[in-house]
Amino acid sequence: MGCFECCIKCLGGVPYASLVATILCFSGVALFCGCGHVALTGTLTILENHFSKITTDHAMLTDIIQLMQYVIYGIASFFFLYGIILLAEGFYTTSAVKELHSEFKTTVCGRCISGMFVFLTYILGIAWLGVFGFSAVPVFLFYNMWSTCAAMRSPMANLTSIDSICVDVRQYGIIPWNATPGKACGSTLGDICNTSEFYLSYHLYIVACAGAGATVIALLIYMMATTYNFAVLKFKSREDCCTKF
């Protein structure tokens, strides 16, 4: 067998679906975790400087944000390992690899592990749908504030008094109702929208939401790949049983 034929045969053993899903998963999780971590810090800075100047009023929110940042570290570490494991599982269960190694034999333990990956990937896919929906909430809140500021600056608005236009973050449940000042109106609101923290956090939340969406797509590809691999293992086990008689 020539070198070219050998390379083609080796490339045929690459689980391209798992490979694409792994790259997409790593990219999505990196965007979600990195951008989400920085955006949460910027959000806390905006709240402390403009909406809740008394520390005790947003102490619980500060603890929740810090907890979410620690959770982000755990998510990044877990999916780095899980993506590598799924990619390795894809290499060893693809039908092309079985053709390369004619002595490949399936075991009950191997089929159980493959089935566990199918179940776990489905659970993670459902969980990340919730994460994707949750990550859209801060995008919606920041968009409302940005659109309000854009309306104030628009020459077509024809506003008599911009001080009557306010954004009250207390109505979203982010900070308690006794927080002071709790809202920003007129020029103060415009100044908030012009800060670097607002601009950066808004766009980072958008990127983090996109990263969560990419992770959902990657998990969907993983679902199809792991389900196919499990079906191949089941078929191979039946084939092995038939050859014994």
Side-chain angles (χ1 to χ4, degrees):
M1 181 182 295
C3 181
F4 178 76
E5 290 79 4
C6 183
C7 291
I8 294 299
K9 195 171 183 179
C10 290
L11 288 175
V14 177
Y16 292 102
S18 296
L19 183 61
V20 171
T22 301
I23 295 173
L24 192 60
C25 181
F26 284 174
S27 302
V29 171
L31 289 175
F32 174 79
C33 294
C35 295
H37 186 279
V38 179
L40 287 172
T41 303
T43 301
L44 185 60
T45 301
I46 293 173
L47 290 174
E48 290 176 344
N49 293 338
H50 304 285
F51 293 100
S52 181
K53 298 184 178 180
I54 301 177
T55 306
T56 55
D57 290 341
H58 58 271
M60 182 178 294
L61 178 63
T62 302
D63 294 337
I64 293 175
I65 288 178
Q66 291 177 349
L67 177 62
M68 292 176 65
Q69 289 176 331
Y70 285 120
V71 170
I72 283 175
Y73 297 145
I75 290 175
S77 302
F78 172 78
F79 272 90
F80 177 75
L81 295 176
Y82 190 68
I84 293 177
I85 293 173
L86 283 184
L87 182 61
E89 194 261 351
F91 269 102
Y92 284 102
T93 55
T94 181
S95 59
V97 171
K98 297 189 187 76
E99 292 176 2
L100 288 175
H101 303 279
S102 58
E103 297 300 323
F104 182 90
K105 299 294 183 182
T106 60
T107 62
V108 175
C109 180
R111 293 194 296 274
C112 289
I113 292 175
S114 183
M116 180 193 67
F117 281 132
V118 173
F119 175 76
L120 184 58
T121 304
Y122 270 81
I123 296 299
L124 290 175
I126 295 174
W128 268 95
L129 282 175
V131 173
F132 176 66
F134 178 76
S135 63
V137 174
V139 176
F140 172 74
L141 298 181
F142 272 78
Y143 174 77
N144 282 343
M145 187 180 297
W146 176 83
S147 60
T148 303
C149 293
M152 289 192 303
R153 293 192 297 263
S154 175
M156 304 297 293
N158 194 20
L159 300 173
T160 56
S161 177
I162 63 173
D163 291 333
S164 61
I165 300 178
C166 301
V167 171
D168 193 342
V169 298
R170 294 173 297 185
Q171 64 182 337
Y172 300 116
I174 300 175
I175 55 177
W177 282 102
N178 59 354
T180 55
K183 64 180 181 179
C185 302
S187 59
T188 303
L189 178 60
D191 293 338
I192 295 174
C193 293
N194 291 329
T195 59
S196 59
E197 290 86 2
F198 177 86
Y199 182 85
L200 182 62
S201 298
Y202 177 39
H203 289 83
L204 286 178
Y205 276 127
I206 294 176
V207 177
C209 184
T215 306
V216 171
I217 296 174
L219 288 173
L220 288 176
I221 299 175
Y222 273 138
M223 288 179 194
M224 293 184 288
T226 53
T227 303
Y228 170 77
N229 292 336
F230 180 72
V232 170
L233 286 177
K234 291 286 290 183
F235 176 78
K236 183 65 178 177
S237 64
R238 293 177 182 177
E239 188 180 71
D240 292 340
C241 291
C242 292
T243 56
K244 293 179 181 179
F245 296 100

